[in-house]
Amino acid sequence: MARGACSDTSTKRLRVVLNDEGRLDVIGVVWSNDDDLWDWRMLHDGDVSFRGEIRADGDSDRSFRIKRTMLDFPGTDIIAFKAENQRTGETCFVKVDDF
């Protein structure tokens, strides 16, 4: 698991777990202080695996969570999660490179 601050006031976390089927469960979370629209993407060994847009939940803690399943390639996998706030330009980037 990796966590930390984004380029402004938000924080982020990336969690990668090997599931019972031999695949990687990948969860990226951003805690924001707004309910803006964010572009996000998940990368696996440098290639984009998933991408989309999401709005931070304004009714609760103003966070969003993206969960995807990836193949577990032979050798070391490098998993990254990037999100960018469409209004402010704030960016969040986190990677796990020892999985």
Side-chain angles (χ1 to χ4, degrees), residues 30-85:
V30 173
W31 289 271
S32 179
N33 62 358
D34 55 48
D35 58 356
D36 292 339
L37 192 62
W38 291 72
D39 290 319
W40 63 268
R41 70 187 108 171
M42 286 189 175
L43 299 100
H44 191 176
D45 293 336
D47 294 323
V48 175
S49 289
F50 305 99
R51 65 173 29 165
E53 291 181 335
I54 193 166
R55 187 171 302 279
D57 185 359
D59 292 337
S60 62
D61 60 359
R62 294 192 171 160
S63 67
F64 63 87
R65 175 179 139 146
I66 307 297
K67 180 178 180 181
R68 296 293 185 265
T69 301
M70 298 180 181
L71 296 176
D72 182 17
F73 296 141
T76 301
D77 292 281
I78 301 171
I79 309 297
F81 174 60
K82 182 177 182 180
E84 182 175 352
N85 185 308

